[in-house]
Amino acid sequence: MVDHKPLFKAPYDIKDVSALFAIVAFILIITAIVGNSLFGLFQENVNFG
């Protein structure tokens, strides 16, 4: 009998995807915290009228 390939075979490993997602999420969180702090300093130092 012919060995059939699965119709929807994932071309990636779920561990790799999880690790990549965790790295990207961590970078986005750090960027958001730093950006928020810098924007707070910007608001304090610039007079908007």
Side-chain angles (χ1 to χ4, degrees):
M1 193 165 171
V2 179
D3 186 22
H4 292 290
K5 292 182 181 178
L7 187 60
F8 296 107
K9 184 178 185 301
Y12 44 78
D13 188 12
I14 192 66
K15 292 178 184 175
D16 295 338
V17 174
S18 299
L20 184 62
F21 180 78
I23 292 169
V24 171
F26 186 70
I27 291 172
L28 288 175
I29 290 169
I30 297 298
T31 305
I33 293 170
V34 171
N36 197 12
S37 299
L38 290 176
F39 187 70
L41 291 173
F42 174 72
Q43 278 186 318
E44 289 176 1
N45 293 329
V46 176
N47 186 10
F48 287 105

